[in-house]
Amino acid sequence: MQVSNAVEQKSRQQQVPWHSGSAKKPFCFGGCKARPKQPPKKVKGKFFRDRLKNGSLGPQMVWIPAGSFRMGDIQGGGYDDEKPVHRVSINRFAMSRTEVTVGEFRRFVNATGYKTEAEKGDGCWTYKNYSWVQVKNANWRNPNFSQDDNHPVVCVSWNDAMAYVEWLNRQTGKQYRLPTEAEWEYAARAGTETARYWGNKPDKACRYANVHDRTSKKENGFWWTPHKCTDGYA
């Protein structure tokens, strides 16, 4: 129909082609411009929280849309285990909006009586007197620095994390698991290809994160090179 109309228009109605067919939608044999893609549908309920058996809410989750990305050392200067750079496709999945908090882990421990490997063993590694040492009495309850229930839980092993995940599965009836390496990098990159999420300049870090900067160098004495900026927090 489109061809017929075009011929009639170009010939100033001197040629009126006859046509017969059942096609109701435009079609193309080749050389046609692609139809513009429709914008992806928005994911309803971007954030959600599953209920536990006692009626309280589990960790806040966020839907990560499906997509693909270049995984690995795309900026150069990384380690050998970040190479070669390769494209990875990711299916839609959900991830906890934050790290598992002290408060969330405490709720699990209170409900099950679970003891972490650090509590049953030789403690955990912590930074003390300007070096990393294994401290016998250090564990998630007392990691040798101050924390409240909103901080990320520390001094937990892979086995401890799996025990928490299995408890969430029993409580919610849903399938929780640890993210894969590719899923973690895909979520953390959030569509960026820069060395850091704010760009490629490391010394802008003080605007965005609490890093080892000049304040930290002065107060902590870490041996590694500090960022050339100051955020006021050690």
Side-chain angles (χ1 to χ4, degrees):
M1 178 67 77
Q2 288 175 316
V3 173
S4 175
N5 292 340
V7 170
E8 186 175 354
Q9 183 181 9
K10 289 292 185 181
S11 67
R12 299 181 181 181
Q13 288 77 46
Q14 296 301 307
Q15 295 184 42
V16 182
W18 177 87
H19 60 83
S20 177
S22 59
K24 296 181 179 179
K25 294 182 180 180
F27 67 96
C28 184
F29 289 116
C32 303
K33 292 182 178 179
R35 297 181 66 187
K37 293 183 179 180
Q38 297 298 316
K41 294 181 179 179
K42 292 183 178 180
V43 178
K44 293 184 178 179
K46 185 177 180 182
F47 300 107
F48 68 93
R49 299 178 74 176
D50 291 323
R51 287 197 177 275
L52 307 183
K53 288 183 178 179
N54 64 3
S56 62
L57 295 173
Q60 188 175 38
M61 307 293 291
V62 56
W63 282 112
I64 310 296
S68 65
F69 76 111
R70 291 196 299 151
M71 182 176 178
D73 182 24
I74 58 178
Q75 289 291 323
Y79 297 102
D80 288 341
D81 60 1
E82 298 175 279
K83 301 170 183 177
V85 175
H86 55 287
R87 183 161 291 278
V88 178
S89 294
I90 302 291
N91 293 325
R92 177 175 178 258
F93 69 103
M95 179 179 279
S96 176
R97 193 174 185 182
T98 68
E99 294 91 339
V100 176
T101 65
V102 173
E104 288 168 341
F105 195 77
R106 190 190 310 281
R107 182 163 49 175
F108 153 65
V109 170
N110 290 343
T112 62
Y114 181 85
K115 286 191 177 296
T116 62
E117 293 188 337
E119 292 173 288
K120 294 185 293 185
D122 296 323
C124 70
W125 287 80
T126 185
Y127 199 77
K128 188 176 181 180
N129 297 326
Y130 301 106
S131 63
W132 290 100
V133 294
Q134 191 165 9
V135 179
K136 176 70 176 178
N137 64 348
N139 54 64
W140 73 274
R141 298 177 188 273
N142 178 29
N144 270 3
F145 56 88
S146 177
Q147 283 193 305
D148 62 34
D149 276 359
N150 290 322
H151 283 101
V153 66
V154 297
C155 285
V156 290
S157 67
W158 183 88
N159 289 323
D160 299 332
M162 289 302 298
Y164 172 73
V165 165
E166 290 168 3
W167 176 75
L168 272 182
N169 290 341
R170 294 193 301 270
Q171 286 289 309
T172 63
K174 303 296 176 63
Q175 186 61 47
Y176 284 79
R177 60 176 174 79
L178 299 180
T180 66
E181 181 183 6
E183 287 172 335
W184 167 251
E185 184 169 339
Y186 175 69
R189 283 194 178 280
T192 65
E193 289 202 347
T194 51
R196 296 157 181 82
Y197 71 84
W198 62 82
N200 289 323
K201 295 183 178 179
D203 293 332
K204 287 187 175 181
C206 292
R207 302 181 188 178
Y208 303 94
N210 183 15
V211 297
H212 179 49
D213 59 355
R214 288 168 176 155
T215 306
S216 173
K217 182 68 175 179
K218 180 179 179 181
E219 297 191 26
N220 296 322
F222 299 148
W223 59 267
W224 56 87
T225 303
H227 289 272
K228 297 177 182 178
C229 60
T230 300
D231 62 14
Y233 296 91

